């Protein structure tokens, strides 16, 4: 059985280095660390858990972050809704590059995409611009973002469908003004130097969303199940059939868009949509099979402008397939912040916290945290 032990201490630094990691690989438990266990609602499984007491400081107000371990490097893309930061996480948190979104649109989500070893690493970015979805695909060249495709009127999300840890499949979902996430989903791929589309090689449930979604073989049948979080619920589907539905406690994101459903009409209707952090598939309890790690939160109503936040506490939930059914548990203690990024890499669970601030003072402090898994 694997255990989680806090091993990373982050201290703030000035300049482009946002933090320094200390104590990697040792058995020292820093002051303030605590131990807990995964509390499964059913069945038996246990993981010792201890959080690092410090964190690496990021740009304030991070609303979405995506991390990828590739070619021996752990890279993070993070956005506050206006700018994109690319950072490398090693013994220190090092800023590589930054880029403003096209024509000052609102960035909603971003995901790394590596279609093949022969291709560069790409970053897909979904923004809201001129009352419509506008997606851009950047390539990372010499640690700098270079736009290669602009102005796609579609919603993008990248997925690891073969379980090798690299997201090789880029899915495109149509924008529907009524529901935002439309029913039609295509796979995008490179045909030479041109971006083309085709039908995915697998079926997806009608509710599936490419933002806040994940694909992973949870049942051990050799086929990836589709997992996604939307409207406070986590769904797991096998093909077009939904096989698990959680209680309405999942998600809780600061990436939110309020838009006009029918902007050309005089009496238009507005609606809001939240863009959730994608669940992560990883072997959390050391049994050789993947579990799903996902964000849950307690959300508060806004009582008066500037006096209340929308998210009270967030926590990590674990979902496991056992004896023909899914069980769920909690991992660690709640944190008084929103969780805006989640990854498993280099034997660690990485997560980004953002304090929610208030309506009058949005964009609270954001930090990167690390928890170490070891045998």
């Amino acid at each position: 059985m694997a255990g989680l032990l806090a091993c990373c201490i982050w201290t703030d630094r000035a300049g482009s280095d946002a933090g320094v990691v200390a104590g990697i690989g040792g058995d020292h438990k820093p002051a303030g660390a605590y131990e807990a266990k995964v509390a499964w609602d059913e069945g038996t499984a246990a993981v010792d858990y201890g959080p690092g007491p410090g964190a690496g400081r990021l740009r304030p107000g991070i609303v979405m972050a995506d991390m990828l371990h590739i070619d021996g490097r752990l890279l993070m893309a993070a956005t506050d809704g206006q700018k994109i930061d690319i950072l490398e996480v090693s013994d220190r948190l090092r800023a590589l590059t930054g880029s403003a979104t096209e024509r000052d649109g609102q960035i909603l989500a971003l995901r790394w995409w590596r279609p093949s070893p022969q291709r560069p690493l790409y970053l897909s970015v979904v923004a809201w611009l001129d009352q419509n979805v506008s997606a851009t695909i950047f390539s990372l060249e010499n640690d700098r973002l270079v736009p290669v495709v602009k102005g796609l009127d579609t919603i993008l999300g990248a997925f690891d469908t073969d379980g090798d840890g690299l997201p090789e499949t880029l899915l495109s979902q149509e924008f529907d003004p009524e529901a935002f996430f439309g029913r039609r989903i295509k796979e995008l791929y490179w045909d030479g130097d041109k971006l083309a589309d085709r039908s995915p090689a697998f079926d997806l449930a009608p509710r599936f969303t490419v933002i806040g979604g994940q694909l992973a073989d949870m049942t051990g049948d050799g086929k990836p199940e589709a997992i996604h979080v939307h409207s406070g619920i986590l769904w797991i589907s096998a093909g077009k059939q939904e096989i698990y539905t959680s209680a309405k406690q999942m998600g809780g994101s600061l990436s939110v868009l309020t838009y006009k459903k029918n902007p050309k009409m005089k009496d238009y209707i507005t609606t809001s949509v939240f863009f959730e952090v994608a669940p992560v598939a990883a072997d959390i309890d050391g049994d050789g099979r993947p579990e799903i790690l996902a964000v849950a939160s307690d959300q508060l109503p806004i009582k008066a402008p500037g006096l209340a936040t929308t998210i009270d506490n967030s926590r990590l939930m674990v979902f496991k397939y056992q004896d023909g059914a899914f069980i769920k548990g909690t991992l660690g203690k709640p944190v008084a912040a929103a969780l805006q990024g989640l990854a498993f890499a280099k034997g660690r669970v990485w997560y980004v916290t953002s304090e929610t601030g208030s309506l009058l003072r949005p964009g609270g402090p954001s930090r990167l945290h690390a928890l170490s898994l070891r045998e």
Side-chain angles (χ1 to χ4, degrees):
M1 185 71 65
L4 276 166
L5 178 67
C7 75
C8 300
I9 306 174
W10 293 84
T11 57
D12 297 331
R13 291 171 60 90
S16 61
D17 295 328
V20 175
V21 184
I24 294 179
D27 291 332
H28 172 65
K29 186 177 296 182
Y34 65 90
E35 291 186 355
K37 291 185 178 181
V38 175
W40 296 104
D41 288 356
E42 300 178 32
T44 58
V47 178
D48 291 331
Y49 182 85
R57 180 176 294 175
L58 304 171
R59 180 190 299 275
I62 294 298
V63 298
M64 190 67 68
D66 191 35
M67 288 164 273
L68 180 66
H69 187 219
I70 182 170
D71 298 332
R73 307 170 74 192
L74 179 57
L75 300 178
M76 176 169 61
T79 181
D80 62 355
Q82 295 297 320
K83 294 181 180 295
I84 302 169
D85 293 327
I86 306 298
L87 305 105
E88 181 178 0
V89 183
S90 55
D91 59 338
R92 62 181 65 236
L93 188 59
R94 184 168 67 94
L96 300 181
T97 186
S99 172
T101 186
E102 180 183 11
R103 289 190 289 158
D104 297 325
Q106 178 186 348
I107 300 174
L108 308 175
L110 41 73
R111 293 291 293 270
W112 292 110
W113 176 39
R114 181 67 180 274
S116 71
Q118 293 74 36
R119 290 279 182 177
L121 178 62
Y122 298 95
L123 183 70
S124 66
V125 178
V126 180
W128 183 254
L129 181 67
D130 297 334
Q131 297 298 317
N132 202 358
V133 167
S134 179
T136 301
I137 298 176
F138 296 89
S139 64
L140 188 66
E141 301 178 11
N142 298 319
D143 289 341
R144 298 188 63 84
L145 289 178
V146 178
V148 293
V149 180
K150 294 182 179 181
L152 297 173
D153 57 349
T154 188
I155 310 163
L156 301 179
F159 300 87
D160 173 20
T161 60
D162 57 13
D164 67 350
L166 297 178
E168 80 292 334
T169 301
L170 184 66
L171 296 183
S172 164
Q173 188 167 14
E174 69 175 344
F175 167 62
D176 178 356
E178 287 294 321
F180 195 89
F181 293 100
R183 291 292 188 94
R184 188 178 306 169
I185 295 178
K186 295 286 188 178
E187 179 186 352
L188 300 185
Y189 67 99
W190 290 112
D191 183 5
D193 293 331
K194 295 182 179 180
L195 197 64
D197 66 72
R198 60 193 174 198
S199 297
F202 42 83
D203 291 328
L204 293 168
R207 297 180 193 265
F208 186 76
T209 60
V210 299
I211 297 177
Q214 183 62 267
L215 299 173
D217 181 10
M218 299 298 300
T219 61
D221 63 355
K223 301 177 182 179
E225 279 73 45
I227 306 103
H228 78 283
V229 177
H230 187 57
S231 299
I233 297 173
L234 181 140
W235 282 276
I236 302 177
S237 303
K240 295 185 177 182
Q241 181 182 3
E242 293 175 354
I243 59 176
Y244 178 82
T245 303
S246 76
K248 193 169 184 177
Q249 62 178 152
M250 303 305 300
S253 175
L254 300 182
S255 181
V256 58
L257 171 70
T258 299
Y259 68 98
K260 302 173 183 177
K261 286 186 176 182
N262 43 2
K264 295 182 180 180
M265 296 182 63
K266 182 178 180 180
D267 298 324
Y268 58 81
I269 299 174
T270 61
T271 187
S272 296
V273 59
F274 290 82
F275 304 93
E276 303 292 353
V277 172
V280 170
D283 182 9
I284 300 299
D285 60 8
D287 66 351
R289 297 181 300 169
E291 288 80 45
I292 286 294
L293 188 63
V295 174
S297 65
D298 301 320
Q299 301 184 39
L300 295 176
I302 300 176
K303 299 178 181 179
L307 297 181
T309 59
T310 57
I311 296 177
D312 185 17
N313 290 303
S314 299
R315 56 195 173 277
L316 297 176
M317 301 289 293
V318 185
F319 295 84
K320 180 184 183 69
Y321 188 75
Q322 180 174 285
D323 299 328
F326 285 94
I327 61 173
K328 64 181 176 69
T330 55
L331 187 61
K333 296 181 180 179
V335 294
L339 298 184
Q340 297 303 137
L342 183 62
F344 177 77
K346 301 170 67 173
R348 297 172 175 86
V349 175
W350 305 83
Y351 61 96
V352 172
T353 60
S354 288
E355 296 182 20
T356 54
S358 68
L359 290 180
L360 297 181
R361 292 184 177 180
S366 298
R367 296 179 174 88
L368 173 66
H369 305 256
L371 306 169
S372 182
L373 279 170
R374 71 170 195 175
E375 296 296 331

